[in-house]
Amino acid sequence: MLSAALVATACGDGAPRVPTGDPLTVVQTSAERTPRAGLLRVIVTGPEETLDGEVRLVSGTGPSEIRERALAALDVARWATKAVAYGGQQVRGVSTMRYEVTAREGGRVDVWVDVEGFARRIQLPDGPLDGSPPPVRDNGLPGYVTVDFVVVARPQLKIAPGGPDL
């Protein structure tokens, strides 16, 4: 009997730690939710560059090049035409579900979304999203750009007497 209880606990009897629901809806919604997460540290890593900075996407504060790259990656998720859940994976210490996504332009992109619906990573080809293979780097590997979103500080809710002020 004790072994049955241990198996039930080990199998995740608690709340899911990854998003559930229609994959396309999860991916598209993450593009709407992520800018509202508050202060974000955005890390853009590509074959020829690394950018790292804190931004607020809603108010437009922070380094403009990082904001523009983050918003462009989120737009790919927002306008996705197909998404398939690929599997769970940690992104910078946060449990996520990875989705293989077809961009509106036809190319393939990967999007990682956490249980709160925030995009945590978007990886796309370092080139056009037209469905052609990504450009090949000098080492023979395909070139990708990875955009990571780390929530630094969330907006504080104003609590009115009797409950949250929504």
Side-chain angles (χ1 to χ4, degrees):
M1 183 174 286
L2 178 59
S3 62
L6 290 174
V7 170
T9 302
C11 290
D13 199 28
R17 293 187 180 167
V18 294
T20 58
D22 173 61
L24 184 58
T25 301
V26 169
V27 167
Q28 291 173 334
T29 303
S30 74
E32 300 296 328
R33 292 180 58 89
T34 303
R36 296 191 308 255
L39 181 62
L40 298 169
R41 178 176 172 216
V42 176
I43 303 106
V44 180
T45 309
E48 304 295 325
E49 67 181 340
T50 298
L51 303 171
D52 186 341
E54 292 185 352
V55 298
R56 291 186 189 272
L57 297 175
V58 171
S59 64
T61 60
S64 62
E65 187 174 3
I66 295 172
R67 279 194 337 268
E68 290 168 10
R69 297 296 293 270
L71 291 169
L74 289 169
D75 274 347
V76 171
R78 177 178 291 109
W79 301 111
T81 60
K82 181 179 177 185
V84 176
Y86 183 77
Q89 189 173 14
Q90 292 271 323
V91 173
R92 297 190 181 266
V94 176
S95 293
T96 66
M97 178 62 76
R98 181 178 179 179
Y99 297 90
E100 289 184 350
V101 172
T102 302
R104 176 174 55 183
E105 298 84 355
R108 192 176 84 59
V109 175
D110 287 335
V111 178
W112 287 256
V113 181
D114 71 13
V115 72
E116 294 181 85
F118 298 130
R120 292 302 186 137
R121 174 174 286 163
I122 299 175
Q123 187 175 59
L124 41 125
D126 185 30
L129 287 172
D130 60 5
S132 60
V136 178
R137 301 184 323 200
D138 292 340
N139 62 7
L141 297 174
Y144 289 97
V145 174
T146 302
V147 181
D148 283 350
F149 299 88
V150 179
V151 178
V152 176
R154 294 195 182 174
Q156 297 295 317
L157 293 177
K158 296 179 182 177
I159 305 297
D165 183 12
L166 302 174

